[in-house]
Amino acid sequence: MTWPATESELVSAQHALAQATPPPWIPADNCLVGGAWVCFPRGLSGTGSAGDRAWGAAVVMDQGRVVGRCLVPGHASASYAPGLLALRLGPLLEDVVRRLAPHPDVLLLDGTGRDHPRRGGLALHLGAVLGLPTVGVTHRPLTAAGDWPADVPGAMSPLFIGPDQVATWLRTRRGTRPLVVHPGWRTDLTTAVVVVSRSLAGRRTPEPLRRARRAARLLRGP
């Protein structure tokens, strides 16, 4: 699978992804967890455009230690449009993750899975392109709806599109906004929550994703 070049091609690919049934991935007690992030110039607002400067970073962590890291400066492939994030970020994310060594067993990224107008968000798409289990972690749902969980670490509450649960709120720290956990490629809801919960290191954001975000921002500079 490659990255579509047009909106119509991406929409078709997302419909196909929604119907895909890859074999489920079961996490081992100890697995290598990756995180990937892309940031843009400070002050960039609106939908942006193709060619915007961008900085990608990815890390691999093994039981709390960073064992691999990759930094790649690049450019956005398109402007941003809701439900079409893969057009803007997909190629750069693929590039930076493919350069990682060692290769992660599962990847965390800022993107949705089934919480998407066509049930084919970036977390699902990137995993399919890479052939890698993925979990999306976002600050808010894209199209799903559901009440926040109790203010207790580990509390969850479902997010639905119609009758279907597509993601879950997960409270990672008391007194802070919960995160949305999205099953991605080859991961179900239970597995996605396990991966995120094991990766928190006492913080609100999973550590591999937090480290990747920090690395991308340092690469960008002030």
Side-chain angles (χ1 to χ4, degrees):
M1 179 177 289
T2 58
W3 294 105
T6 66
E7 290 189 10
S8 61
E9 289 176 354
L10 177 56
V11 168
S12 295
Q14 290 170 340
H15 282 301
L17 284 166
Q19 299 301 316
T21 55
W25 174 76
I26 306 300
D29 290 338
N30 295 318
C31 60
L32 299 180
V33 181
W37 191 273
V38 172
C39 69
F40 291 97
R42 294 182 184 276
L44 188 68
S45 61
T47 60
S49 60
D52 286 338
R53 294 184 67 195
W55 293 266
V59 303
V60 182
M61 299 191 69
D62 181 8
Q63 301 183 67
R65 297 183 303 111
V66 174
V67 295
R69 187 176 73 157
C70 183
L71 307 173
V72 177
H75 298 85
S77 303
S79 59
Y80 170 74
L84 300 172
L85 186 59
L87 279 182
R88 183 163 174 81
L89 299 185
L92 181 54
L93 282 169
E94 179 189 3
D95 186 19
V96 70
V97 175
R98 286 199 185 279
R99 295 172 187 248
L100 273 177
H103 203 59
D105 297 309
V106 60
L107 180 73
L108 302 175
L109 70 147
D110 179 21
T112 71
R114 305 289 181 181
D115 175 17
H116 184 272
R118 291 165 292 281
R119 307 296 196 272
L122 178 59
L124 194 68
H125 201 155
L126 182 63
V129 170
L130 293 169
L132 181 66
T134 52
V135 175
V137 180
T138 63
H139 293 298
R140 58 186 60 83
L142 179 61
T143 59
D147 295 334
W148 278 14
D151 191 14
V152 177
M156 295 184 290
S157 57
L159 283 157
F160 292 97
I161 298 178
D164 301 322
Q165 183 177 358
V166 294
T168 187
W169 286 113
L170 174 65
R171 186 80 68 174
T172 56
R173 289 185 67 179
R174 187 185 299 274
T176 63
R177 181 186 178 93
L179 297 175
V180 183
V181 177
H182 305 266
W185 187 249
R186 295 187 60 198
T187 57
D188 61 16
L189 188 60
T190 299
T191 297
V193 170
V194 166
V195 172
V196 170
S197 298
R198 288 179 179 176
S199 303
L200 289 174
R203 300 178 183 270
R204 175 174 178 261
T205 303
E207 194 68 1
L209 202 56
R210 191 185 73 84
R211 296 285 188 107
R213 181 179 62 196
R214 181 183 180 192
R217 290 173 175 174
L218 288 174
L219 178 65
R220 175 186 63 187

